[in-house]
């Protein structure tokens, strides 16, 4: 019996020893779950990087647009400041719509065939491009609450209106934008 008892004890020890030993590595199911989680994390990471790149491109475009718009508004304002020194008769000759665009003093603002909003000075025939992807531009005179495009006024009407404070409304329609960008510039009354 002693022998049988010792043998049983040896079998129990060997069984408990084999149960206590952990298998090396991962099972097939554990490996597949690990690969699935890694793949999901990789796809999520790619999408985050993609969205970051897209948003950065959008921000760069918006910054460029705002800078171009600020430069355009500033230059139009400078061009209109020259009108404060002109008589009504001189204003009527230097504020008009031409086939090339809108004449504002010694310069013409207009669109080229590629949709670039540019300024051409009479002293320099090379246009200076301010904004790209513009579909239309409109210059209008504001007389109190009345607003009409500059082409609607004759030279005599502009001369008459120049004796009072006016406003010049500029609308720029960008490609892909539903609403135009608009700014109103004050035009002081002409010195008699």
């Amino acid at each position: 019996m002693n022998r049988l008892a010792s043998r049983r004890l040896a079998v129990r020890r060997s069984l408990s020893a084999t149960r206590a030993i952990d298998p090396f590595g991962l099972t097939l199911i554990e490996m597949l779950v690990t690969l699935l989680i890694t793949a999901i994390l990789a796809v999520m990471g790619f999408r985050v990087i993609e969205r970051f790149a897209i948003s950065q491109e959008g921000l760069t475009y918006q910054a460029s647009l705002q800078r171009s718009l600020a430069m355009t508004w500033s230059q139009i304002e400078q061009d209109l400041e020259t009108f404060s020194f002109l008589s009504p008769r001189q204003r009527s000759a230097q504020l008009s719509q031409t086939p090339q665009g809108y004449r504002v003093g010694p310069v013409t603002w207009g669109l080229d065939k590629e949709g670039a909003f540019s300024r051409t000075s009479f002293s320099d025939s090379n246009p200076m491009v301010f904004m790209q992807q513009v579909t239309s531009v409109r210059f209008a005179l504001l007389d109190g609450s009345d607003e009409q495009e500059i082409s609607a006024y004759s030279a005599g009407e502009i001369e008459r209106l120049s004796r009072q404070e006016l406003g010049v409304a500029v609308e720029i329609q960008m490609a892909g934008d539903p609403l135009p960008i608009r700014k109103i510039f004050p035009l002081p009354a002409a010195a008699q």
Side-chain angles (χ1 to χ4, degrees):
M1 275 274 211
N2 211 357
R3 225 171 157 166
L4 189 57
S6 67
R7 192 170 188 155
R8 283 184 188 165
L9 184 62
V11 169
R12 278 189 206 152
R13 284 185 186 162
S14 69
L15 283 177
S16 65
T18 57
R19 285 184 193 150
I21 298 175
D22 290 327
F24 295 104
L26 300 172
T27 65
L28 180 60
I29 292 177
E30 292 171 335
M31 181 63 80
L32 291 174
V33 168
T34 303
L35 288 174
L36 178 67
I37 291 172
T38 305
I40 290 171
L41 290 175
V43 168
M44 288 172 57
F46 176 75
R47 287 197 177 169
V48 166
I49 291 172
E50 181 183 39
R51 289 188 194 270
F52 177 74
I54 290 171
S55 68
Q56 187 173 6
E57 288 173 5
L59 289 174
T60 302
Y61 170 76
Q62 284 297 324
S64 173
L65 176 66
Q66 293 300 320
R67 186 176 61 249
S68 297
L69 193 57
M71 288 173 38
T72 303
W73 293 148
S74 175
Q75 188 61 55
I76 291 173
E77 186 173 27
Q78 285 179 2
D79 291 344
L80 287 171
E81 281 179 7
T82 62
F83 278 82
S84 61
F85 304 110
L86 301 177
S87 70
R89 182 174 297 263
Q90 290 170 323
R91 284 187 183 193
S92 67
Q94 295 195 16
L95 187 63
S96 61
Q97 186 172 2
T98 66
Q100 296 81 20
Y102 294 93
R103 181 174 180 193
V104 180
V107 299
T108 301
W109 285 89
L111 288 177
D112 65 9
K113 293 175 183 132
E114 289 82 35
F117 185 44
S118 59
R119 175 185 182 264
T120 306
S121 173
F122 294 134
S123 61
D124 183 17
S125 62
N126 294 329
M128 182 156 66
V129 175
F130 280 83
M131 298 181 76
Q132 300 287 341
Q133 300 177 351
V134 177
T135 57
S136 68
V137 175
R138 180 177 173 261
F139 280 64
L141 276 179
L142 291 169
D143 173 23
S145 63
D146 188 31
E147 176 180 337
Q148 290 184 9
E149 195 161 339
I150 289 176
S151 62
Y153 293 100
S154 68
E157 290 174 316
I158 291 177
E159 184 178 342
R160 181 182 55 81
L161 289 173
S162 292
R163 291 177 170 76
Q164 64 189 14
E165 287 192 18
L166 297 171
V168 176
V170 180
E171 286 185 1
I172 300 171
Q173 180 67 50
M174 301 294 295
D177 286 344
L179 298 173
I181 302 167
R182 178 181 166 97
K183 182 161 178 147
I184 299 173
F185 299 93
L187 192 60
Q192 302 297 329

